[in-house]
Amino acid sequence: MTFSDSDEISEDGVFRLAAATGTELKRLGLLAVTAESCTGGLISAAFTAVPGSSEWFDRAFVTYSNAAKMEMLGVREDTLRDHGAVSEETVREMSLGALRHSRGDIAVAVSGIAGPGGGTPEKPVGTVYLSWAFRGEVFETFRAAFSGDREAVRKQTVIKALSVILEFCRNKDKK
């Protein structure tokens, strides 16, 4: 089962993606953790919709405000000031902070502009940054330019977040 950024995917498809990701996490004995801003907990909701997810999902941080990012994840104030909440630097610190403040082995962090407002010429609506960290080291960051309305941007973010974890787990044996 593979999913691309442009896939039109149903709610059942998101569930199947989360379940496949969970199967791989469980197989590897890994615990996942999320740090979410623009998705407001949708990634963790996808994980916890899967029966038995407590075996491979530790916790979620929904850090919508800058204060929450700093207090819960340890994102530095100067990072937010210099780069903004929607930036590679911020999501990197979010993913690492999620691991530091949990029992997780692998973390995904997201922050973006889902719309309909809030965009700028430099960061238009649909701009989302994602970061994945494994045991305290960032292994990937990604800047997305998703299209569609708020719901579509958030759903595409969930799909991308889960897909990279699934791919990481499937490739873990090859390393």
Side-chain angles (χ1 to χ4, degrees), residues 73-122:
L73 299 172
V75 174
R76 296 180 322 225
E77 184 176 3
D78 62 324
T79 299
L80 292 163
R81 182 188 61 245
D82 296 345
H83 303 284
V86 179
S87 67
E88 178 179 352
E89 294 80 4
T90 295
V91 294
R92 288 175 69 84
E93 289 184 27
M94 288 171 66
S95 64
L96 293 170
L99 289 178
R100 273 194 315 275
H101 294 94
S102 73
R103 296 180 314 118
D105 301 295
I106 189 166
V108 61
V110 300
S111 187
I113 304 164
T120 66
E122 298 81 26

